[in-house]
Amino acid sequence: MMLTKLRKFIVNRQKVSGLYINHMCSCRTGVILRGLISQVFLGRNYSSLPENDVKSLRSIINPPMSKIRNIGIMAHIDAGKTTTTERILYYSGYTRSLGDVDDGDTVTDFMAQERERGITIQSAAVTFDWKGYRVNLIDTPGHVDFTLEVERCLRVLDGAVAVFDASAGVEAQTLTVWRQADKHHVPRICFLNKMDKTGASFNYTVDSIREKLKTKPLLLQLPIGEAKGFKGLVDVVTMEKVIWNTVSNSDDGKQFVREPLTELNDPELLKEAKEARNALIEQVADLDDEFADLVLGEFIENFDLLPAEKLQHAIRRVTMAQRAAPVLCGSALKNKGVQPLLDAITMYLPSPDECNNEFMQWYKDDLCALAFKVLHDKQRGPLVFMRIYSGTMKPQSAVHNINGNCTERISRLLLPFADQHIEIPSLTAGNIALTVGLKQTSTGDTIVSSKSSALAAARRAGRNEGKIHRKNMETGSLLLAGVEIPEPVFFCTIEPPSVAKQPELDRALNCLQREDPSLKVRLDPDSGQTVLCGMGELHIEIINDRIKREYGVETFLGPLQIAYRETILNSGRATDTLDRTLGEKRHLVTVELEVKPCAREKSEVGPVIEYTESIREELLQEFQEAIENGIHSAFLQGPLLGFPIQDVAVTLCSLTLHPGTSTTMVSACVSRCVQKALKKADKQVLEPLMNLEVTVTGDYLSSVLADLAQRRGSIQEIQSRQDNKVVVGSVPLAEMMGYSTVLRTLSSGTATFALELSNYQAMNLQDQNALLKRSGLA
């Protein structure tokens, strides 16, 4: 009976085309129809929709570069990024119905894990057009475990929309993604979402943007009402009132009224809007000299006469120079404010040709692209996302990978639309493409048309900058900047159900590592077990779930462990000799070196290597690579717990060799000598320290603070956020295992928290001894 209703419901709503129910089963009458739909149908077909009012992906315009916008949606978790993206696709005409995160039927959250949890796990790209502009949009995750997804997307975007929960303001992950956008010099627009939510405050959120993000907010809109009273907005630039029609049967937000503000219809709102516009004009004039000259010259006596177009052009210049960020507001869930946001994206964010990419002048019209993401498709194999910076990309063409120094062939070229793809004959500079057939390409690789093209570009750059090293010219010096991969903080063992399944597990892990560079896999040299290293509990949980679902391997995870590091407190000196005879050849090498602690601004795994003057130059030229390989391999496992070594300098004091000694023997001897020297020094374990932000109501504040004190937490400040308190502090990661369950219990499910890696700090002697005792090494 229930399945019959479901079948009728789908036919009537026409939500999914070409799907048939083949299996009959009995269902309980209590099953909710909406939940059943989201479980049965995980896919939606966007490219072949029969209705006339839904655009086909094949009709997407291919405009000049000045009409292209490459943007990302970024925010703290649960601020409304995916819902905003869903509304954008609906209003631009590429989906027939409004998807909902809670129903698990959004376009960009297409993974089963995303739909079950209601969160974004991996970034998804969609391409659409809006009023003559082509927009390539990427919806990014908000969870701290998937920060790398945001980083590698921002690397290739020209602009971004930062979404804020209007009831919470700037949150922990908002700060992180904002810093990432600063790092890649990405202009931003702020969208204050959830204006309809209880506790929403436009002024509070704007103040938090100004204070916490240290940016100048340009108020382009004012809300009409807040929380339950939110019904529309005022466009400060054009002095118009925008009200969404809620009287009609259709509440999808497509119908809204835009009318000029006058004394007759709302004198108080007009007065407030005039004050906001005058303040905006003064603010923009302070930031843009050209606009200041115009205002002071022609409109000094009456700002009301200033044309909206002049103000819009000035706001665009200020936004692109990243001197300020335009602020808009709305409610994506209630279908209000999204169309003006789309207009602002095309109006204020830059096109690819307005972004300063110096290397483009050296490649001229030759192909130059950056691979920023890899996905694995069971039918097509690896799918590589490319941002094309210059030239044209075509299918069935050979391309050269500068990083891998290899040539591959693109078999097909696709236009991305979440999990649906449309094949295209070519794509020009400024666009984002999906390629099939590149088996060696990884995240961060630079792709050019040929090796000779890279060398020609390097020569042009060399002539431009003076002399260029011969080595750089030979390899092609113009690599596009890749992405910094963060070091994992959690690890655990992973095992297949039987030895026969090990090759399948290895293949799955290889594919997932290529997709996600923040996932590291290594083999434990002592136990021979496979070790999975990730960014957090959720990250490892998702990886394990994907191995089971996508690759059909039932895996067993060991207990989660913390990725500690090691260092030394004083210097140590050692000498080592390696004497081996292989066949008739004698290999003899003697090494003397010293290790000592060294402070660096940014703590990194890996040594600082120095050489004394007694080391002969010709000896160093021949064996330097072998020496440094030996030192690096020794730093992978420390003398205490076998964790990587950081903040240590190695000085090579002497090196004597028998003629004919191989580089492998030199490397082995140096590695053994470094380990011997490290054991002689006093050793110290370093543990990951996390920045913590807990949002809790005042009733449960004391319980949360008491619990954090037991976890060796350090409280920096307690802020007020509307009716809540925000506890800001730091706490060792080892103390945060299973914290979400404890916090839920302490606060009756009302509190939330966010964690982010701060740095590695030295453990006190008592905690270090306890850790060694637990590890059986005390």
Side-chain angles (χ1 to χ4, degrees):
M1 182 67 184
M2 184 59 69
L3 280 175
T4 307
K5 287 181 182 177
L6 175 60
R7 208 183 265 120
K8 285 179 182 176
F9 180 81
I10 293 159
V11 170
N12 291 338
R13 288 292 300 273
Q14 294 183 318
K15 280 198 83 161
V16 181
S17 61
L19 263 167
Y20 299 94
I21 300 172
N22 297 319
H23 301 287
M24 296 295 291
C25 67
S26 60
C27 299
R28 291 182 185 176
T29 55
V31 174
I32 299 171
L33 192 61
R34 187 178 69 177
L36 193 56
I37 293 164
S38 66
Q39 289 173 29
V40 174
F41 304 111
L42 285 176
R44 289 164 71 182
N45 189 0
Y46 312 102
S47 57
S48 57
L49 301 172
E51 285 92 335
N52 295 327
D53 62 334
V54 177
K55 296 178 185 175
S56 164
L57 283 183
R58 298 182 190 281
S59 71
I60 286 180
I61 57 172
N62 197 3
M65 199 187 290
S66 62
K67 294 280 189 179
I68 296 173
R69 298 289 182 270
N70 294 312
I71 64 154
I73 306 281
M74 59 180 204
H76 185 85
I77 191 168
D78 204 30
K81 297 178 296 300
T82 302
T83 305
T84 303
T85 305
E86 189 70 21
R87 286 352 181 222
I88 284 172
L89 292 175
Y90 179 69
Y91 298 133
S92 58
Y94 288 90
T95 54
R96 180 194 301 126
S97 56
L98 288 166
D100 195 311
V101 172
D102 295 333
D103 292 347
D105 62 351
T106 57
V107 173
T108 50
D109 284 355
F110 53 84
M111 286 172 62
Q113 292 85 354
E114 292 176 315
R115 294 188 163 181
E116 285 171 3
R117 291 168 174 80
I119 61 170
T120 303
I121 291 168
Q122 64 177 17
S123 54
V126 288
T127 302
F128 61 91
D129 62 88
W130 177 259
K131 297 183 178 178
Y133 288 85
R134 182 186 193 136
V135 183
N136 299 310
L137 182 148
I138 298 181
D139 179 24
T140 63
H143 197 283
V144 68
D145 283 16
F146 310 107
T147 300
L148 178 69
E149 281 288 317
V150 185
E151 176 91 13
R152 61 180 175 180
C153 292
L154 285 173
R155 169 65 188 84
V156 298
L157 296 174
D158 304 320
V161 176
V163 181
F164 297 81
D165 181 338
S167 66
V170 174
E171 298 174 89
Q173 191 65 8
T174 318
L175 277 165
T176 304
V177 296
W178 194 270
R179 282 197 297 266
Q180 287 174 312
D182 281 338
K183 176 181 167 185
H184 294 290
H185 310 293
V186 177
R188 275 140 281 176
I189 284 175
C190 300
F191 180 61
L192 310 194
N193 191 26
K194 303 191 179 185
M195 284 302 302
D196 63 306
K197 188 177 175 182
T198 304
S201 170
F202 182 81
N203 292 332
Y204 168 78
T205 308
V206 170
D207 289 342
S208 72
I209 290 171
R210 187 182 292 111
E211 291 165 16
K212 294 184 180 179
L213 301 180
K214 308 298 183 218
T215 191
K216 296 180 175 68
L218 302 176
L219 306 189
L220 307 191
Q221 294 176 350
L222 297 175
I224 300 175
E226 287 181 349
K228 289 182 180 178
F230 178 67
K231 58 182 179 178
L233 52 90
V234 173
D235 189 326
V236 173
V237 177
T238 60
M239 293 296 286
E240 292 175 315
K241 182 167 70 171
V242 186
I243 301 291
W244 271 262
N245 186 3
T246 56
V247 180
S248 64
N249 294 331
S250 174
D251 191 18
D252 62 359
K254 277 190 175 180
Q255 296 179 359
F256 59 92
V257 178
R258 184 184 278 269
E259 57 185 34
L261 277 173
T262 61
E263 286 276 2
L264 292 173
N265 58 17
D266 203 328
E268 285 187 18
L269 195 60
L270 177 66
K271 182 184 175 185
E272 188 183 348
K274 272 189 177 182
E275 289 173 359
R277 191 173 195 263
N278 291 344
L280 176 65
I281 290 169
E282 289 173 8
Q283 197 177 0
V284 174
D286 286 341
L287 299 168
D288 185 80
D289 292 340
E290 184 184 331
F291 183 69
D293 293 340
L294 176 73
V295 171
L296 293 172
E298 299 178 37
F299 305 102
I300 186 67
E301 292 181 4
N302 191 352
F303 285 173
D304 295 347
L305 300 176
L306 180 73
E309 295 78 18
K310 299 285 186 185
L311 180 54
Q312 286 165 348
H313 290 153
I315 292 168
R316 177 176 171 79
R317 288 194 298 272
V318 168
T319 305
M320 285 165 52
Q322 294 164 63
R323 297 190 196 109
V327 174
L328 298 95
C329 63
S331 169
L333 186 66
K334 299 296 182 185
N335 313 316
K336 295 180 175 71
V338 178
Q339 295 95 327
L341 173 64
L342 272 167
D343 292 334
I345 286 168
T346 57
M347 194 178 296
Y348 302 123
L349 292 179
S351 61
D353 57 356
E354 290 171 312
C355 296
N356 184 24
N357 294 317
E358 292 179 5
F359 54 83
M360 284 168 62
Q361 61 182 316
W362 299 322
Y363 281 102
K364 294 189 174 177
D365 294 329
D366 286 341
L367 174 67
C368 177
L370 180 71
F372 68 94
K373 183 176 170 68
V374 180
L375 287 178
H376 276 84
D377 186 277
K378 287 181 180 178
Q379 279 75 39
R380 300 185 180 111
L383 303 176
V384 181
F385 282 86
M386 296 275 191
R387 164 67 196 270
I388 306 171
Y389 286 99
S390 65
T392 303
M393 190 172 278
K394 294 179 180 177
Q396 300 304 325
S397 61
V399 292
H400 180 69
N401 183 334
I402 299 181
N403 301 67
N405 193 24
C406 62
T407 299
E408 297 187 88
R409 182 171 290 277
I410 297 173
S411 59
R412 295 165 71 194
L413 195 61
L414 307 169
L415 201 63
F417 194 82
D419 56 341
Q420 306 282 318
H421 311 121
I422 293 296
E423 198 159 346
I424 48 174
S426 67
L427 207 58
T428 53
N431 279 296
I432 289 173
L434 195 55
T435 60
V436 181
L438 302 180
K439 295 192 168 46
Q440 306 298 321
T441 304
S442 301
T443 297
D445 285 358
T446 303
I447 303 298
V448 294
S449 54
S450 64
K451 193 169 185 178
S452 58
S453 165
L455 293 171
R459 282 194 292 273
R460 288 186 204 111
R463 283 198 297 272
N464 190 64
E465 296 178 358
K467 291 184 178 179
I468 187 166
H469 294 295
R470 174 64 52 188
K471 185 180 178 183
N472 282 347
M473 282 183 65
E474 288 169 0
T475 56
S477 63
L478 293 183
L479 288 173
L480 303 183
V483 180
E484 283 184 29
I485 311 297
E487 287 293 324
V489 290
F490 276 108
F491 70 94
C492 67
T493 57
I494 182 167
E495 293 182 355
S498 64
V499 178
K501 290 281 186 180
Q502 186 66 46
E504 291 182 39
L505 176 60
D506 292 341
R507 187 178 66 82
L509 290 172
N510 285 336
C511 291
L512 290 170
Q513 273 188 101
R514 202 170 157 208
E515 282 188 28
D516 182 1
S518 65
L519 171 70
K520 304 282 174 66
V521 179
R522 60 181 173 85
L523 204 63
D524 189 299
D526 299 323
S527 65
Q529 290 177 298
T530 304
V531 179
L532 209 59
C533 309
M535 299 306 299
E537 293 179 75
L538 180 63
H539 187 203
I540 289 177
E541 182 189 327
I542 295 292
I543 292 294
N544 188 43
D545 193 35
R546 288 189 64 190
I547 291 170
K548 290 178 180 178
R549 291 195 195 206
E550 295 173 27
Y551 297 93
V553 181
E554 282 293 328
T555 52
F556 302 101
L557 288 182
L560 274 178
Q561 299 177 65
I562 308 298
Y564 295 98
R565 291 185 188 170
E566 298 179 27
T567 191
I568 55 173
L569 301 174
N570 50 21
S571 59
R573 199 178 183 100
T575 306
D576 197 38
T577 301
L578 186 67
D579 189 356
R580 293 278 188 280
T581 302
L582 299 175
E584 297 179 358
K585 201 171 185 181
R586 188 184 182 195
H587 301 268
L588 174 63
V589 55
T590 302
V591 175
E592 184 182 357
L593 52 77
E594 183 183 27
V595 294
K596 59 187 176 186
C598 73
R600 286 190 276 186
E601 284 185 19
K602 188 179 178 184
S603 295
E604 296 175 7
V605 173
V608 174
I609 302 172
E610 299 165 348
Y611 301 92
T612 59
E613 293 178 1
S614 61
I615 307 294
R616 297 202 315 274
E617 187 69 32
E618 61 273 14
L619 204 63
L620 203 55
Q621 281 181 344
E622 187 178 351
F623 291 102
Q624 184 172 356
E625 189 178 345
I627 292 165
E628 293 184 1
N629 283 344
I631 294 171
H632 279 282
S633 68
F635 269 57
L636 294 175
Q637 282 195 302
L640 266 181
L641 291 166
F643 289 106
I645 301 284
Q646 75 172 37
D647 300 336
V648 174
V650 179
T651 305
L652 188 68
C653 303
S654 73
L655 175 68
T656 53
L657 295 164
H658 186 276
T661 300
S662 72
T663 54
T664 309
M665 292 297 177
V666 173
S667 191
C669 185
V670 169
S671 181
R672 201 166 71 180
C673 191
V674 169
Q675 289 172 341
K676 195 184 286 188
L678 288 170
K679 285 176 182 174
K680 288 184 177 181
D682 293 333
K683 295 162 283 290
Q684 172 73 59
V685 176
L686 304 173
E687 65 178 343
L689 186 71
M690 310 300 285
N691 290 329
L692 172 70
E693 189 175 287
V694 182
T695 306
V696 62
T697 57
D699 299 344
Y700 301 107
L701 179 64
S702 56
S703 304
V704 169
L705 291 175
D707 179 67
L708 287 174
Q710 293 178 345
R711 296 173 183 270
R712 298 191 282 139
S714 169
I715 308 302
Q716 290 155 9
E717 61 175 324
I718 300 172
Q719 304 169 350
S720 292
R721 181 184 288 167
Q722 305 292 77
D723 298 331
N724 294 324
K725 298 293 181 185
V726 180
V727 180
V728 179
S730 56
V731 63
L733 179 59
E735 302 292 343
M736 298 302 288
M737 303 285 271
Y739 182 64
S740 56
T741 307
V742 174
L743 184 63
R744 203 177 298 126
T745 305
L746 286 173
S747 65
S748 302
T750 58
T752 60
F753 76 104
L755 280 177
E756 183 189 15
L757 180 64
S758 170
N759 57 15
Y760 275 78
Q761 71 167 11
M763 293 182 79
N764 64 48
L765 193 59
Q766 184 181 350
D767 293 327
Q768 181 170 313
N769 288 337
L771 176 65
L772 293 172
K773 192 174 181 180
R774 287 199 302 273
S775 306
L777 299 168

